[in-house]
Amino acid sequence: MRHVEAMAATNRIPTAITMVPRAKALTSWGRMTALGYEIAHERLGESTEGAALARGLARSYGDASLPARASDRLASTLLADRVLAFDPVSGRLRAESGLTLAELNRLFIPRGWFTPVSPGTQFVTLGGMVASDVHGKNHHRDGCFGAHVSGLLVRLGDGDLVECSPREHSDLFYGCIGGMGLLGHILEVEFQLRAIPSPWIRTETLRVNNLGEFLTCLSDAASRFPYTMGWIDCLARQKHLGRGVLMAGEWSSEAPPGARPPAHSLRFPFDLPTGALNRYTARAFNTAFFRAHRAGISRSLSTPEPFFYPLDRVLDWNRAYGKRGFTQYQCVLPRAAGPEAVHEFLQRMVQTQSTSPLCVIKDCGPEGRGVLSFPLEGTSIAADMRITEETPRVVRLLNEFVISAGGRIYLTKDRFTSRRDFAAMEPRLPTFNALRERWDPNRRLRSALSQRLLEY
């Protein structure tokens, strides 16, 4: 693999060293907080030594990036964001784990390369993409991000540095893929970029009238497009249950004449009052959004930002849920459970009346090899919920159905699932626990999530 000097020159070379001298409140994207120490250092080989957890932009919604104890030290990866090597022929890239997807896109899309899998925001780091084994609109074809990773440099809980891959320490490698940072601090990531013919996406949008129609259209679009997903009006009932908008796309070989770069992002200026985003305002938004899309198919060309990252256009959009914050319930229901299971789940979600304007449905392909990776072949549904006194009960009710259907939840978005529910929905848990016993027997690596779901 050849090093690219020009690439290093454009990539930010961090020099600052920041140390937080005392415990402070650390926050997740869902605005959950916990006390702990966080140290940012450009040399992860030093800052991760003795750390309980590493974290990047803290975009996990719940407690995955938060310390288990107020005395725990976290290593921020954000100053370690260098591109270490890139082969312009094969597209193989190696970088430090703090490199953000936004920076990766800025560097490589103009050069004709794109990440093989992208989540719904580009404000994540490579380390976080591995730890969550993120999935995207192309999971039905390309699986999770971990399927395209060929090597990791990991610092273990005992301080050792280990290079792992599908051939070398493969159990550690697949444990780290989707392992929520609990088997080792991820210092470097090597993976395969995808060649793209242009920085433009050919998109197709279709308004859909109910869930049965949606599942059929989603399956049809998945056979024709590499990228598919849908927005659902999760407050619509009866014959309108599951109505929404299906979006599909593929890279275009041509740029439109007179094309302009996307507009700059806006910033959400303040916290909305608690309760401002409720089922009444959500219902009004959902109805307006659904009717804003005309019946039939609409086709257009799009840049990657509005297609892959529509919410990134409004920075700090999590402030719309107020200071109490929010969670996102994301589950996947196996194909074997049939469309009846998706219908029943959506009905239960509607009955809770706790969901927001953001509800997404996606088609998932076969289960990946990451020991705790989220997706399995079936249908994924995700919905934001503002935090109320009722939220834990709603999560229990939804978990009850997901477990009965043979599904599971996405840990990166979770905040309220109990240890008992997690064990009931996760047959791979004994395998993961055995890996922790082998690679971190003293449980030096931990998070608030591991304390909640794994006892330590």
Side-chain angles (χ1 to χ4, degrees):
M1 186 181 299
R2 285 181 286 173
H3 290 259
V4 179
E5 294 180 0
M7 196 70 66
T10 57
N11 192 30
R12 186 168 66 87
I13 306 297
T15 56
I17 298 175
T18 304
M19 175 171 284
V20 180
R22 58 186 175 81
K24 69 172 186 177
L26 303 174
T27 308
S28 69
W29 185 242
R31 312 196 75 176
M32 188 178 180
T33 60
L35 282 176
Y37 296 83
E38 185 175 26
I39 292 177
H41 198 300
E42 68 175 72
R43 295 185 290 275
L44 284 180
E46 297 178 15
S47 64
T48 53
E49 198 163 7
L53 188 68
R55 74 172 194 167
L57 287 165
R59 278 293 182 131
S60 53
Y61 285 47
D63 50 7
S65 69
L66 299 180
R69 306 168 188 167
S71 58
D72 282 349
R73 181 167 62 80
L74 275 60
S76 169
T77 64
L78 294 181
L79 294 181
D81 62 351
R82 286 161 282 215
V83 173
L84 302 174
F86 174 64
D87 186 332
V89 176
S90 68
R92 187 68 59 88
L93 181 142
R94 189 177 182 98
E96 292 180 312
S97 62
L99 181 67
T100 67
L101 180 55
E103 183 68 356
L104 186 78
N105 288 341
R106 187 187 71 80
L107 291 171
F108 286 95
I109 288 178
R111 292 174 167 85
W113 298 95
F114 187 65
T115 182
V117 170
S118 178
T121 175
Q122 58 180 341
F123 300 132
V124 293
T125 61
L126 290 182
M129 290 171 69
V130 173
S132 293
D133 199 12
V134 295
H135 56 282
K137 296 176 175 64
N138 57 340
H139 189 273
H140 59 285
R141 289 197 182 184
D142 299 311
C144 291
F145 181 68
H148 308 271
V149 175
S150 54
L152 298 172
L153 178 63
V154 173
R155 177 179 288 287
L156 301 176
D158 64 5
D160 288 348
L161 289 173
V162 177
E163 183 78 32
C164 61
S165 71
R167 296 165 301 282
E168 187 178 10
H169 302 305
S170 60
D171 62 335
L172 176 64
F173 178 79
Y174 289 117
C176 288
I177 303 290
M180 309 307 292
L182 298 174
L183 289 183
H185 303 304
I186 298 166
L187 275 59
E188 296 177 10
V189 182
E190 184 173 306
F191 65 104
Q192 180 70 44
L193 288 172
R194 167 160 300 161
I196 54 175
S198 83
W200 291 89
I201 309 283
R202 185 177 73 82
T203 69
E204 189 172 288
T205 304
L206 173 66
R207 196 172 82 176
V208 185
N209 296 311
N210 56 59
L211 182 61
E213 186 179 329
F214 214 128
L215 293 176
T216 299
C217 293
L218 199 59
S219 177
D220 174 66
S223 68
R224 298 185 293 116
F225 289 93
Y227 302 106
T228 64
M229 60 88 69
W231 167 83
I232 283 183
D233 179 356
C234 59
L235 294 173
R237 294 169 176 267
Q238 298 177 348
K239 67 178 183 179
H240 299 302
L241 181 77
R243 71 177 183 179
V245 179
L246 172 66
M247 288 152 272
E250 61 183 353
W251 292 102
S252 171
S253 58
E254 297 180 1
R260 296 180 178 179
H264 294 294
S265 297
L266 305 173
R267 185 174 294 279
F268 207 91
F270 52 83
D271 296 318
L272 283 183
T274 300
L277 195 55
N278 53 50
R279 66 176 181 271
Y280 301 108
T281 54
R283 190 184 303 281
F285 173 88
N286 285 4
T287 300
F289 186 80
F290 179 77
R291 292 177 178 171
H293 292 79
R294 63 183 182 184
I297 297 176
S298 300
R299 296 184 175 88
S300 65
L301 282 174
S302 170
T303 55
E305 287 83 0
F307 181 75
F308 288 106
Y309 319 113
L311 291 175
D312 285 353
R313 301 288 296 277
V314 183
L315 303 177
D316 297 334
W317 60 264
N318 56 344
R319 304 182 74 176
Y321 291 92
K323 292 183 179 179
R324 292 191 68 178
F326 72 113
T327 187
Q328 186 179 92
Y329 191 88
Q330 182 166 11
C331 70
V332 59
L333 300 169
R335 191 86 67 210
E340 301 82 8
V342 182
H343 189 275
E344 175 65 21
F345 176 82
L346 196 58
Q347 270 199 324
R348 293 191 180 207
M349 181 174 280
V350 171
Q351 287 167 359
T352 66
Q353 299 189 349
S354 60
T355 50
S356 78
L358 188 60
C359 184
V360 173
I361 185 169
K362 283 197 288 195
D363 198 32
C364 291
E367 181 178 274
R369 290 188 289 179
V371 175
L372 284 187
S373 291
F374 162 66
L376 51 77
E377 188 160 13
T379 303
S380 166
I381 297 178
D384 283 358
M385 301 176 184
R386 68 183 176 92
I387 302 298
T388 69
E389 300 299 327
E390 281 289 287
T391 308
R393 186 186 69 84
V394 170
V395 170
R396 284 198 302 273
L397 289 173
L398 296 178
N399 277 347
E400 184 178 292
F401 179 79
V402 170
I403 292 168
S404 69
R408 64 174 70 127
I409 57 153
Y410 189 23
L411 294 181
T412 302
K413 306 289 183 67
D414 180 55
R415 176 168 172 172
F416 292 107
T417 291
S418 68
R419 196 172 300 158
R420 185 184 65 177
D421 281 359
F422 181 58
M425 67 176 65
E426 189 47 84
R428 303 169 299 177
L429 184 55
T431 302
F432 187 75
N433 284 336
L435 285 174
R436 287 189 87 196
E437 190 61 31
R438 176 181 178 187
W439 293 101
D440 185 25
N442 295 317
R443 300 299 189 268
R444 293 190 174 100
L445 306 182
R446 56 183 176 264
S447 66
L449 178 143
S450 72
Q451 191 170 48
R452 173 170 58 92
L453 295 179
L454 307 174
E455 295 187 37
Y456 37 74

